[in-house]
Amino acid sequence: MPDSGYPWPIETTRLDNGLRVVVSEDRTAPAVAVNLWYDVGSRHEPDGQTGFAHLFEHLMFEGSVNVAKTEHMKFVQGAGGSLNATTNPDRTNYFETLPAEHLELALWLEADRMGGLVPALTQETLDNQREVVKNERRQRYENVPYGDAWLRLLPLLYPPGHPYHHATIGSMADLNAADLGTFQGFHRTYYAPNNAVLTVVGDTTATEVFALADKYFGAIPAREEIPAAPDGRHVPAAGEPARETVAAAVPAPRVYVAHRTHPFGTPGYDVATVLATVLGSGRGSRLYQRLADGERIAQPDLVAAYGVDLAYGPAPLVVTATARPGVTAERLAAGVAEVVDELATVPVTATELDRAKALLTTAWWRQMSTVDGRADTLGRYATLFGDPAKAAERLPAWLAVTADQIAELAAQVLRPEDRATLTYLPEENS
């Protein structure tokens, strides 16, 4: 298995209207993946418009000029394909995987909703999807144990005004207050060809994709001025830890410990990725060995550490553990803090480092083993860093991380005074 992060061909072009097109030919199966990344996420949302990027993820499936409501999904699934969309602070993406002979269908559908959503957007559709988002918030965040942890962690990590201060689900008050014209303006501003990357991977050629992209997207006008998101690269140090304790309907105490690290795609974040894997991935991790198997204060399947891959500010590293019966939140929090603090003083062993790199290598090639996984990866690197070929740098960068670099990073960014701690307590024990 090669260590290079991307051994497949990559060809790119840019249409006259600014749309970037990325193609990676792969003839191993008669399928294609189409992935369209828009450079708009919750970090772009001004005050009073939180949740807009995520709501548009829903609205884009509700019909456009030539495609009736829900027909986008019906057309793709009827052709034997699958589709979905996601939103995060940095971007919104839409994607389909389908038999190669239906590539033209997918491109026509995506072009129609890029250039033709606003004329088809009605007050009824907007009101309906606002209710869908409200229900999603209730189901995913408000009515499940620990569900609002991310909503609470972000304000602990990033001050008001920072583009990562609020979650993509946004404020229901903001969504309710905005009128149809405001949402139409949001689409006109950000859903422009010069603010997007179209990636196609699979059983096709660059010549075919470039021609079809020009046929269907080429007449969509560029947006002359697209507002930049606020600069989130620098977060003033508070000089003291941030803490919040929540009494809620949860089955056991749980602790989240979070730190700001470095932006995704930087050498510092590569080190943070390996560090998080050493710390909290699986039964061989330090958290599991110490807190679940050793001291037996954490539930074995509920200890973890992970980075959140955000590129336009210091990305979070999150550690979480849930208490075993009879263990207090205070004891659990102290145990988590001790394991995290020791990363700066207790060297990572060769065995730990090799294990972490093996896990990351497996995860990387699992992502790259499918046409849809590769399309998403190439779209990410083209959107965030301007070059899809930079994807080839990620795995070698992880494999080059040393134990000394992990210790140095831990001493730099995992300091107790820069720590955010969120603690959940069962209501009856509060």
Side-chain angles (χ1 to χ4, degrees):
M1 181 178 294
D3 284 345
S4 172
Y6 199 88
W8 297 274
I10 301 173
E11 296 186 62
T12 64
T13 194
R14 186 185 290 265
L15 303 188
D16 291 343
N17 60 8
L19 178 69
R20 289 168 287 173
V21 186
V22 179
V23 181
S24 182
E25 182 177 340
D26 181 354
R27 298 291 189 173
T28 57
V32 289
V34 175
N35 200 303
L36 191 59
W37 274 55
Y38 289 94
D39 189 8
V40 57
S42 57
R43 72 187 180 94
H44 294 84
E45 297 165 346
D47 288 343
Q49 294 187 8
T50 64
F52 277 36
H54 173 250
L55 181 60
F56 264 100
E57 178 196 320
H58 291 260
L59 291 174
M60 289 280 277
F61 288 95
E62 293 302 303
S64 47
V65 170
N66 298 299
V67 181
K69 182 176 180 179
T70 74
E71 280 192 352
H72 187 118
M73 189 171 294
K74 289 179 181 177
F75 282 141
V76 173
Q77 293 176 337
S82 61
L83 72 166
N84 212 329
T86 64
T87 309
N88 80 3
D90 287 348
R91 87 314 175 252
T92 309
N93 75 321
Y94 302 85
F95 47 94
E96 299 92 5
T97 302
L98 64 177
E101 64 263 30
H102 297 298
L103 170 63
E104 190 165 1
L105 169 66
L107 297 182
W108 172 71
L109 288 168
E110 289 295 355
D112 199 64
R113 62 182 178 179
M114 175 190 283
L117 179 84
V118 168
L121 183 59
T122 66
Q123 187 69 49
E124 180 185 2
T125 297
L126 175 59
D127 292 342
N128 175 268
Q129 291 307 304
R130 272 197 280 226
E131 291 305 312
V132 171
V133 171
K134 290 179 186 178
N135 192 48
E136 179 181 347
R137 184 181 177 104
R138 287 189 288 267
Q139 290 183 341
R140 293 182 54 193
Y141 296 92
E142 296 174 354
N143 294 336
V144 294
Y146 320 107
D148 61 353
W150 187 236
L151 306 184
R152 295 178 181 277
L153 277 172
L154 285 173
L156 294 177
L157 288 166
Y158 304 102
H162 190 279
Y164 292 156
H165 177 74
H166 68 276
T168 56
I169 195 69
S171 159
M172 294 305 100
D174 288 351
L175 293 177
N176 286 333
D179 59 18
L180 181 62
T182 304
F183 283 102
Q184 291 171 329
F186 189 89
H187 186 277
R188 290 191 185 100
T189 298
Y190 293 108
Y191 279 78
N194 53 320
N195 199 44
V197 173
L198 170 67
T199 304
V200 178
V201 174
D203 188 11
T204 185
T205 66
T207 300
E208 179 184 22
V209 175
F210 294 164
L212 290 173
D214 190 56
K215 177 180 179 180
Y216 292 112
F217 292 89
I220 302 173
R223 171 78 180 187
E224 290 187 6
E225 293 185 10
I226 298 173
D231 186 353
R233 291 173 294 177
H234 304 292
V235 181
E240 60 182 9
R243 296 186 178 89
E244 182 178 0
T245 299
V246 181
V250 296
R254 177 177 290 183
V255 173
Y256 293 87
V257 168
H259 290 269
R260 298 180 298 271
T261 63
H262 296 281
F264 169 73
T266 63
Y269 191 73
D270 290 328
V271 178
T273 301
V274 180
L275 180 155
T277 308
V278 169
L279 182 60
S281 290
R283 292 175 176 263
S285 67
R286 286 195 174 188
L287 282 171
Y288 188 96
Q289 292 291 312
R290 282 280 297 276
L291 304 184
D293 194 38
E295 298 179 34
R296 301 183 66 79
I297 61 174
Q299 296 185 39
D301 296 330
L302 297 174
V303 291
Y306 51 90
V308 182
D309 298 346
L310 302 180
Y312 296 100
L317 187 151
V318 181
V319 180
T320 180
T322 304
R324 287 180 183 263
V327 175
T328 65
E330 292 78 9
R331 185 182 177 197
L332 182 67
V336 170
E338 185 177 356
V339 177
V340 172
D341 292 342
E342 285 182 356
L343 283 165
T345 58
V346 179
V348 170
T349 66
T351 299
E352 288 179 305
L353 197 57
D354 289 345
R355 175 184 174 276
K357 292 178 179 180
L359 289 172
L360 289 168
T361 299
T362 299
W364 176 260
W365 287 112
R366 184 179 293 116
Q367 169 79 5
M368 304 301 281
S369 67
T370 63
V371 290
D372 53 317
R374 294 202 298 277
D376 189 61
T377 299
L378 294 182
R380 164 184 280 198
Y381 281 81
T383 303
L384 301 182
F385 309 119
D387 183 1
K390 284 187 174 292
E393 300 174 1
R394 193 81 299 109
L395 180 58
W398 293 336
L399 297 179
V401 170
T402 67
D404 287 344
Q405 288 175 316
I406 290 175
E408 291 168 7
L409 183 83
Q412 176 193 31
V413 303
L414 302 187
R415 297 176 299 181
E417 61 268 28
D418 293 328
R419 182 168 296 158
T421 302
L422 172 63
T423 304
Y424 282 88
L425 301 175
E427 286 178 332
E428 63 270 21
N429 294 333
S430 61

PDB file of all heavy atoms in Angstrom, residues 242-276:
ATOM      1  N   ALA A 242     -12.118  27.939  31.338  1.00  0.00           N
ATOM      2  CA  ALA A 242     -13.558  28.169  31.209  1.00  0.00           C
ATOM      3  C   ALA A 242     -14.277  26.910  31.661  1.00  0.00           C
ATOM      4  O   ALA A 242     -13.898  25.797  31.295  1.00  0.00           O
ATOM      5  CB  ALA A 242     -13.907  28.500  29.767  1.00  0.00           C
ATOM      6  N   ARG A 243     -15.321  27.080  32.444  1.00  0.00           N
ATOM      7  CA  ARG A 243     -16.048  25.917  32.977  1.00  0.00           C
ATOM      8  C   ARG A 243     -17.544  26.158  32.923  1.00  0.00           C
ATOM      9  O   ARG A 243     -18.015  27.282  33.096  1.00  0.00           O
ATOM     10  CB  ARG A 243     -15.654  25.650  34.431  1.00  0.00           C
ATOM     11  CG  ARG A 243     -14.196  25.261  34.652  1.00  0.00           C
ATOM     12  CD  ARG A 243     -13.958  24.871  36.106  1.00  0.00           C
ATOM     13  NE  ARG A 243     -12.597  24.459  36.358  1.00  0.00           N
ATOM     14  CZ  ARG A 243     -11.609  25.292  36.715  1.00  0.00           C
ATOM     15  NH1 ARG A 243     -11.874  26.579  36.865  1.00  0.00           N
ATOM     16  NH2 ARG A 243     -10.399  24.836  36.926  1.00  0.00           N
ATOM     17  N   GLU A 244     -18.264  25.076  32.691  1.00  0.00           N
ATOM     18  CA  GLU A 244     -19.720  25.106  32.792  1.00  0.00           C
ATOM     19  C   GLU A 244     -20.189  23.755  33.309  1.00  0.00           C
ATOM     20  O   GLU A 244     -19.693  22.708  32.877  1.00  0.00           O
ATOM     21  CB  GLU A 244     -20.378  25.383  31.434  1.00  0.00           C
ATOM     22  CG  GLU A 244     -21.902  25.466  31.516  1.00  0.00           C
ATOM     23  CD  GLU A 244     -22.559  25.777  30.194  1.00  0.00           C
ATOM     24  OE1 GLU A 244     -21.846  25.938  29.178  1.00  0.00           O
ATOM     25  OE2 GLU A 244     -23.811  25.864  30.163  1.00  0.00           O
ATOM     26  N   THR A 245     -21.130  23.780  34.238  1.00  0.00           N
ATOM     27  CA  THR A 245     -21.726  22.562  34.780  1.00  0.00           C
ATOM     28  C   THR A 245     -23.220  22.590  34.487  1.00  0.00           C
ATOM     29  O   THR A 245     -23.884  23.603  34.735  1.00  0.00           O
ATOM     30  CB  THR A 245     -21.476  22.444  36.290  1.00  0.00           C
ATOM     31  OG1 THR A 245     -20.063  22.400  36.527  1.00  0.00           O
ATOM     32  CG2 THR A 245     -22.109  21.176  36.841  1.00  0.00           C
ATOM     33  N   VAL A 246     -23.719  21.477  33.961  1.00  0.00           N
ATOM     34  CA  VAL A 246     -25.106  21.399  33.531  1.00  0.00           C
ATOM     35  C   VAL A 246     -25.785  20.249  34.268  1.00  0.00           C
ATOM     36  O   VAL A 246     -25.292  19.116  34.256  1.00  0.00           O
ATOM     37  CB  VAL A 246     -25.203  21.147  32.013  1.00  0.00           C
ATOM     38  CG1 VAL A 246     -26.667  21.091  31.576  1.00  0.00           C
ATOM     39  CG2 VAL A 246     -24.448  22.222  31.238  1.00  0.00           C
ATOM     40  N   ALA A 247     -26.895  20.541  34.912  1.00  0.00           N
ATOM     41  CA  ALA A 247     -27.736  19.498  35.489  1.00  0.00           C
ATOM     42  C   ALA A 247     -28.822  19.172  34.470  1.00  0.00           C
ATOM     43  O   ALA A 247     -29.574  20.054  34.052  1.00  0.00           O
ATOM     44  CB  ALA A 247     -28.355  19.966  36.800  1.00  0.00           C
ATOM     45  N   ALA A 248     -28.877  17.909  34.046  1.00  0.00           N
ATOM     46  CA  ALA A 248     -29.786  17.547  32.958  1.00  0.00           C
ATOM     47  C   ALA A 248     -30.256  16.112  33.118  1.00  0.00           C
ATOM     48  O   ALA A 248     -29.783  15.370  33.990  1.00  0.00           O
ATOM     49  CB  ALA A 248     -29.085  17.742  31.615  1.00  0.00           C
ATOM     50  N   ALA A 249     -31.162  15.717  32.253  1.00  0.00           N
ATOM     51  CA  ALA A 249     -31.685  14.346  32.265  1.00  0.00           C
ATOM     52  C   ALA A 249     -30.695  13.428  31.559  1.00  0.00           C
ATOM     53  O   ALA A 249     -30.909  12.991  30.428  1.00  0.00           O
ATOM     54  CB  ALA A 249     -33.044  14.297  31.597  1.00  0.00           C
ATOM     55  N   VAL A 250     -29.586  13.160  32.251  1.00  0.00           N
ATOM     56  CA  VAL A 250     -28.540  12.289  31.706  1.00  0.00           C
ATOM     57  C   VAL A 250     -28.354  11.095  32.638  1.00  0.00           C
ATOM     58  O   VAL A 250     -28.588  11.199  33.850  1.00  0.00           O
ATOM     59  CB  VAL A 250     -27.204  13.061  31.534  1.00  0.00           C
ATOM     60  CG1 VAL A 250     -27.369  14.172  30.507  1.00  0.00           C
ATOM     61  CG2 VAL A 250     -26.715  13.630  32.870  1.00  0.00           C
ATOM     62  N   PRO A 251     -27.927   9.961  32.109  1.00  0.00           N
ATOM     63  CA  PRO A 251     -27.845   8.765  32.946  1.00  0.00           C
ATOM     64  C   PRO A 251     -26.639   8.717  33.869  1.00  0.00           C
ATOM     65  O   PRO A 251     -26.641   7.969  34.846  1.00  0.00           O
ATOM     66  CB  PRO A 251     -27.781   7.627  31.922  1.00  0.00           C
ATOM     67  CG  PRO A 251     -27.217   8.258  30.695  1.00  0.00           C
ATOM     68  CD  PRO A 251     -27.729   9.658  30.683  1.00  0.00           C
ATOM     69  N   ALA A 252     -25.590   9.479  33.572  1.00  0.00           N
ATOM     70  CA  ALA A 252     -24.373   9.428  34.383  1.00  0.00           C
ATOM     71  C   ALA A 252     -23.594  10.713  34.179  1.00  0.00           C
ATOM     72  O   ALA A 252     -23.751  11.396  33.153  1.00  0.00           O
ATOM     73  CB  ALA A 252     -23.511   8.228  33.973  1.00  0.00           C
ATOM     74  N   PRO A 253     -22.740  11.073  35.138  1.00  0.00           N
ATOM     75  CA  PRO A 253     -21.890  12.237  34.923  1.00  0.00           C
ATOM     76  C   PRO A 253     -21.009  12.057  33.682  1.00  0.00           C
ATOM     77  O   PRO A 253     -20.517  10.961  33.411  1.00  0.00           O
ATOM     78  CB  PRO A 253     -21.047  12.301  36.202  1.00  0.00           C
ATOM     79  CG  PRO A 253     -21.839  11.573  37.234  1.00  0.00           C
ATOM     80  CD  PRO A 253     -22.542  10.484  36.493  1.00  0.00           C
ATOM     81  N   ARG A 254     -20.838  13.123  32.951  1.00  0.00           N
ATOM     82  CA  ARG A 254     -19.939  13.119  31.799  1.00  0.00           C
ATOM     83  C   ARG A 254     -19.123  14.397  31.798  1.00  0.00           C
ATOM     84  O   ARG A 254     -19.632  15.466  32.143  1.00  0.00           O
ATOM     85  CB  ARG A 254     -20.708  12.984  30.486  1.00  0.00           C
ATOM     86  CG  ARG A 254     -19.804  13.047  29.248  1.00  0.00           C
ATOM     87  CD  ARG A 254     -20.558  12.834  27.949  1.00  0.00           C
ATOM     88  NE  ARG A 254     -20.999  11.444  27.823  1.00  0.00           N
ATOM     89  CZ  ARG A 254     -21.631  10.975  26.735  1.00  0.00           C
ATOM     90  NH1 ARG A 254     -21.912  11.782  25.728  1.00  0.00           N
ATOM     91  NH2 ARG A 254     -21.980   9.708  26.686  1.00  0.00           N
ATOM     92  N   VAL A 255     -17.866  14.280  31.365  1.00  0.00           N
ATOM     93  CA  VAL A 255     -16.965  15.421  31.312  1.00  0.00           C
ATOM     94  C   VAL A 255     -16.458  15.591  29.888  1.00  0.00           C
ATOM     95  O   VAL A 255     -16.074  14.616  29.230  1.00  0.00           O
ATOM     96  CB  VAL A 255     -15.767  15.230  32.273  1.00  0.00           C
ATOM     97  CG1 VAL A 255     -14.747  16.336  32.091  1.00  0.00           C
ATOM     98  CG2 VAL A 255     -16.248  15.176  33.716  1.00  0.00           C
ATOM     99  N   TYR A 256     -16.487  16.825  29.393  1.00  0.00           N
ATOM    100  CA  TYR A 256     -15.833  17.204  28.139  1.00  0.00           C
ATOM    101  C   TYR A 256     -14.714  18.175  28.475  1.00  0.00           C
ATOM    102  O   TYR A 256     -14.935  19.163  29.188  1.00  0.00           O
ATOM    103  CB  TYR A 256     -16.800  17.888  27.188  1.00  0.00           C
ATOM    104  CG  TYR A 256     -17.894  17.012  26.646  1.00  0.00           C
ATOM    105  CD1 TYR A 256     -19.089  16.845  27.349  1.00  0.00           C
ATOM    106  CD2 TYR A 256     -17.763  16.373  25.419  1.00  0.00           C
ATOM    107  CE1 TYR A 256     -20.112  16.054  26.845  1.00  0.00           C
ATOM    108  CE2 TYR A 256     -18.780  15.578  24.910  1.00  0.00           C
ATOM    109  CZ  TYR A 256     -19.956  15.428  25.622  1.00  0.00           C
ATOM    110  OH  TYR A 256     -20.957  14.648  25.115  1.00  0.00           O
ATOM    111  N   VAL A 257     -13.530  17.896  27.976  1.00  0.00           N
ATOM    112  CA  VAL A 257     -12.392  18.798  28.113  1.00  0.00           C
ATOM    113  C   VAL A 257     -11.967  19.194  26.703  1.00  0.00           C
ATOM    114  O   VAL A 257     -11.776  18.329  25.843  1.00  0.00           O
ATOM    115  CB  VAL A 257     -11.231  18.122  28.864  1.00  0.00           C
ATOM    116  CG1 VAL A 257      -9.953  18.941  28.738  1.00  0.00           C
ATOM    117  CG2 VAL A 257     -11.590  17.923  30.330  1.00  0.00           C
ATOM    118  N   ALA A 258     -11.857  20.482  26.443  1.00  0.00           N
ATOM    119  CA  ALA A 258     -11.543  20.946  25.092  1.00  0.00           C
ATOM    120  C   ALA A 258     -10.464  22.015  25.114  1.00  0.00           C
ATOM    121  O   ALA A 258     -10.382  22.813  26.051  1.00  0.00           O
ATOM    122  CB  ALA A 258     -12.799  21.479  24.408  1.00  0.00           C
ATOM    123  N   HIS A 259      -9.653  21.997  24.050  1.00  0.00           N
ATOM    124  CA  HIS A 259      -8.603  22.994  23.858  1.00  0.00           C
ATOM    125  C   HIS A 259      -8.603  23.463  22.417  1.00  0.00           C
ATOM    126  O   HIS A 259      -8.924  22.701  21.501  1.00  0.00           O
ATOM    127  CB  HIS A 259      -7.224  22.392  24.162  1.00  0.00           C
ATOM    128  CG  HIS A 259      -6.975  22.103  25.606  1.00  0.00           C
ATOM    129  ND1 HIS A 259      -6.396  23.015  26.460  1.00  0.00           N
ATOM    130  CD2 HIS A 259      -7.239  21.003  26.352  1.00  0.00           C
ATOM    131  CE1 HIS A 259      -6.296  22.478  27.670  1.00  0.00           C
ATOM    132  NE2 HIS A 259      -6.807  21.257  27.630  1.00  0.00           N
ATOM    133  N   ARG A 260      -8.188  24.697  22.210  1.00  0.00           N
ATOM    134  CA  ARG A 260      -7.917  25.193  20.868  1.00  0.00           C
ATOM    135  C   ARG A 260      -6.497  24.779  20.470  1.00  0.00           C
ATOM    136  O   ARG A 260      -5.567  24.914  21.263  1.00  0.00           O
ATOM    137  CB  ARG A 260      -8.047  26.718  20.810  1.00  0.00           C
ATOM    138  CG  ARG A 260      -9.448  27.227  21.136  1.00  0.00           C
ATOM    139  CD  ARG A 260      -9.499  28.755  21.061  1.00  0.00           C
ATOM    140  NE  ARG A 260      -8.601  29.360  22.033  1.00  0.00           N
ATOM    141  CZ  ARG A 260      -8.925  29.657  23.276  1.00  0.00           C
ATOM    142  NH1 ARG A 260     -10.143  29.387  23.729  1.00  0.00           N
ATOM    143  NH2 ARG A 260      -8.051  30.210  24.091  1.00  0.00           N
ATOM    144  N   THR A 261      -6.328  24.283  19.237  1.00  0.00           N
ATOM    145  CA  THR A 261      -5.008  23.834  18.795  1.00  0.00           C
ATOM    146  C   THR A 261      -4.521  24.705  17.636  1.00  0.00           C
ATOM    147  O   THR A 261      -4.207  25.871  17.813  1.00  0.00           O
ATOM    148  CB  THR A 261      -5.036  22.347  18.422  1.00  0.00           C
ATOM    149  OG1 THR A 261      -5.917  22.129  17.312  1.00  0.00           O
ATOM    150  CG2 THR A 261      -5.501  21.494  19.596  1.00  0.00           C
ATOM    151  N   HIS A 262      -4.470  24.145  16.447  1.00  0.00           N
ATOM    152  CA  HIS A 262      -4.036  24.857  15.243  1.00  0.00           C
ATOM    153  C   HIS A 262      -5.047  24.579  14.138  1.00  0.00           C
ATOM    154  O   HIS A 262      -5.807  23.615  14.203  1.00  0.00           O
ATOM    155  CB  HIS A 262      -2.646  24.372  14.806  1.00  0.00           C
ATOM    156  CG  HIS A 262      -1.561  24.665  15.801  1.00  0.00           C
ATOM    157  ND1 HIS A 262      -0.976  25.900  15.916  1.00  0.00           N
ATOM    158  CD2 HIS A 262      -0.971  23.873  16.741  1.00  0.00           C
ATOM    159  CE1 HIS A 262      -0.046  25.871  16.870  1.00  0.00           C
ATOM    160  NE2 HIS A 262      -0.036  24.649  17.390  1.00  0.00           N
ATOM    161  N   PRO A 263      -5.066  25.386  13.086  1.00  0.00           N
ATOM    162  CA  PRO A 263      -6.021  25.135  12.000  1.00  0.00           C
ATOM    163  C   PRO A 263      -5.743  23.824  11.278  1.00  0.00           C
ATOM    164  O   PRO A 263      -4.583  23.418  11.106  1.00  0.00           O
ATOM    165  CB  PRO A 263      -5.807  26.333  11.062  1.00  0.00           C
ATOM    166  CG  PRO A 263      -5.209  27.398  11.922  1.00  0.00           C
ATOM    167  CD  PRO A 263      -4.348  26.671  12.916  1.00  0.00           C
ATOM    168  N   PHE A 264      -6.823  23.177  10.850  1.00  0.00           N
ATOM    169  CA  PHE A 264      -6.698  21.986  10.019  1.00  0.00           C
ATOM    170  C   PHE A 264      -5.866  22.309   8.783  1.00  0.00           C
ATOM    171  O   PHE A 264      -6.003  23.359   8.170  1.00  0.00           O
ATOM    172  CB  PHE A 264      -8.096  21.525   9.588  1.00  0.00           C
ATOM    173  CG  PHE A 264      -8.087  20.469   8.517  1.00  0.00           C
ATOM    174  CD1 PHE A 264      -7.720  19.172   8.813  1.00  0.00           C
ATOM    175  CD2 PHE A 264      -8.425  20.788   7.204  1.00  0.00           C
ATOM    176  CE1 PHE A 264      -7.699  18.193   7.819  1.00  0.00           C
ATOM    177  CE2 PHE A 264      -8.417  19.818   6.212  1.00  0.00           C
ATOM    178  CZ  PHE A 264      -8.048  18.523   6.525  1.00  0.00           C
ATOM    179  N   GLY A 265      -4.981  21.373   8.425  1.00  0.00           N
ATOM    180  CA  GLY A 265      -4.127  21.558   7.265  1.00  0.00           C
ATOM    181  C   GLY A 265      -2.758  22.101   7.581  1.00  0.00           C
ATOM    182  O   GLY A 265      -1.896  22.144   6.701  1.00  0.00           O
ATOM    183  N   THR A 266      -2.522  22.507   8.834  1.00  0.00           N
ATOM    184  CA  THR A 266      -1.212  23.018   9.236  1.00  0.00           C
ATOM    185  C   THR A 266      -0.400  21.905   9.903  1.00  0.00           C
ATOM    186  O   THR A 266      -0.961  20.915  10.390  1.00  0.00           O
ATOM    187  CB  THR A 266      -1.356  24.179  10.229  1.00  0.00           C
ATOM    188  OG1 THR A 266      -1.998  23.694  11.430  1.00  0.00           O
ATOM    189  CG2 THR A 266      -2.198  25.303   9.643  1.00  0.00           C
ATOM    190  N   PRO A 267       0.922  22.054   9.937  1.00  0.00           N
ATOM    191  CA  PRO A 267       1.735  21.040  10.621  1.00  0.00           C
ATOM    192  C   PRO A 267       1.333  20.845  12.081  1.00  0.00           C
ATOM    193  O   PRO A 267       1.342  19.718  12.586  1.00  0.00           O
ATOM    194  CB  PRO A 267       3.155  21.595  10.491  1.00  0.00           C
ATOM    195  CG  PRO A 267       3.131  22.423   9.245  1.00  0.00           C
ATOM    196  CD  PRO A 267       1.765  23.055   9.229  1.00  0.00           C
ATOM    197  N   GLY A 268       0.961  21.931  12.746  1.00  0.00           N
ATOM    198  CA  GLY A 268       0.557  21.806  14.142  1.00  0.00           C
ATOM    199  C   GLY A 268      -0.684  20.946  14.314  1.00  0.00           C
ATOM    200  O   GLY A 268      -0.779  20.168  15.269  1.00  0.00           O
ATOM    201  N   TYR A 269      -1.625  21.063  13.385  1.00  0.00           N
ATOM    202  CA  TYR A 269      -2.830  20.244  13.507  1.00  0.00           C
ATOM    203  C   TYR A 269      -2.551  18.791  13.141  1.00  0.00           C
ATOM    204  O   TYR A 269      -3.200  17.880  13.668  1.00  0.00           O
ATOM    205  CB  TYR A 269      -3.961  20.799  12.650  1.00  0.00           C
ATOM    206  CG  TYR A 269      -5.280  20.132  12.966  1.00  0.00           C
ATOM    207  CD1 TYR A 269      -5.951  20.422  14.148  1.00  0.00           C
ATOM    208  CD2 TYR A 269      -5.827  19.186  12.115  1.00  0.00           C
ATOM    209  CE1 TYR A 269      -7.144  19.796  14.463  1.00  0.00           C
ATOM    210  CE2 TYR A 269      -7.029  18.551  12.419  1.00  0.00           C
ATOM    211  CZ  TYR A 269      -7.675  18.858  13.601  1.00  0.00           C
ATOM    212  OH  TYR A 269      -8.850  18.230  13.922  1.00  0.00           O
ATOM    213  N   ASP A 270      -1.583  18.544  12.260  1.00  0.00           N
ATOM    214  CA  ASP A 270      -1.188  17.156  11.997  1.00  0.00           C
ATOM    215  C   ASP A 270      -0.687  16.501  13.280  1.00  0.00           C
ATOM    216  O   ASP A 270      -1.019  15.345  13.577  1.00  0.00           O
ATOM    217  CB  ASP A 270      -0.099  17.114  10.922  1.00  0.00           C
ATOM    218  CG  ASP A 270      -0.618  17.499   9.554  1.00  0.00           C
ATOM    219  OD1 ASP A 270      -1.797  17.232   9.264  1.00  0.00           O
ATOM    220  OD2 ASP A 270       0.158  18.073   8.764  1.00  0.00           O
ATOM    221  N   VAL A 271       0.101  17.235  14.046  1.00  0.00           N
ATOM    222  CA  VAL A 271       0.578  16.705  15.328  1.00  0.00           C
ATOM    223  C   VAL A 271      -0.605  16.499  16.276  1.00  0.00           C
ATOM    224  O   VAL A 271      -0.700  15.470  16.964  1.00  0.00           O
ATOM    225  CB  VAL A 271       1.625  17.645  15.953  1.00  0.00           C
ATOM    226  CG1 VAL A 271       2.074  17.119  17.321  1.00  0.00           C
ATOM    227  CG2 VAL A 271       2.832  17.804  15.035  1.00  0.00           C
ATOM    228  N   ALA A 272      -1.531  17.457  16.300  1.00  0.00           N
ATOM    229  CA  ALA A 272      -2.698  17.331  17.171  1.00  0.00           C
ATOM    230  C   ALA A 272      -3.536  16.113  16.804  1.00  0.00           C
ATOM    231  O   ALA A 272      -4.114  15.453  17.680  1.00  0.00           O
ATOM    232  CB  ALA A 272      -3.549  18.597  17.088  1.00  0.00           C
ATOM    233  N   THR A 273      -3.612  15.778  15.524  1.00  0.00           N
ATOM    234  CA  THR A 273      -4.377  14.615  15.077  1.00  0.00           C
ATOM    235  C   THR A 273      -3.768  13.328  15.611  1.00  0.00           C
ATOM    236  O   THR A 273      -4.475  12.433  16.098  1.00  0.00           O
ATOM    237  CB  THR A 273      -4.434  14.583  13.543  1.00  0.00           C
ATOM    238  OG1 THR A 273      -5.056  15.785  13.076  1.00  0.00           O
ATOM    239  CG2 THR A 273      -5.214  13.377  13.046  1.00  0.00           C
ATOM    240  N   VAL A 274      -2.449  13.220  15.529  1.00  0.00           N
ATOM    241  CA  VAL A 274      -1.782  12.026  16.057  1.00  0.00           C
ATOM    242  C   VAL A 274      -1.906  11.999  17.577  1.00  0.00           C
ATOM    243  O   VAL A 274      -2.151  10.944  18.182  1.00  0.00           O
ATOM    244  CB  VAL A 274      -0.313  11.994  15.613  1.00  0.00           C
ATOM    245  CG1 VAL A 274       0.380  10.745  16.161  1.00  0.00           C
ATOM    246  CG2 VAL A 274      -0.217  12.011  14.085  1.00  0.00           C
ATOM    247  N   LEU A 275      -1.737  13.159  18.211  1.00  0.00           N
ATOM    248  CA  LEU A 275      -1.877  13.251  19.670  1.00  0.00           C
ATOM    249  C   LEU A 275      -3.258  12.753  20.105  1.00  0.00           C
ATOM    250  O   LEU A 275      -3.374  11.960  21.055  1.00  0.00           O
ATOM    251  CB  LEU A 275      -1.657  14.693  20.106  1.00  0.00           C
ATOM    252  CG  LEU A 275      -1.742  15.036  21.598  1.00  0.00           C
ATOM    253  CD1 LEU A 275      -0.930  16.291  21.894  1.00  0.00           C
ATOM    254  CD2 LEU A 275      -3.182  15.272  22.048  1.00  0.00           C
ATOM    255  N   ALA A 276      -4.305  13.214  19.439  1.00  0.00           N
ATOM    256  CA  ALA A 276      -5.665  12.804  19.809  1.00  0.00           C
ATOM    257  C   ALA A 276      -5.853  11.307  19.653  1.00  0.00           C
ATOM    258  O   ALA A 276      -6.546  10.661  20.454  1.00  0.00           O
ATOM    259  CB  ALA A 276      -6.682  13.557  18.966  1.00  0.00           C
TER     260      ALA A 276
END
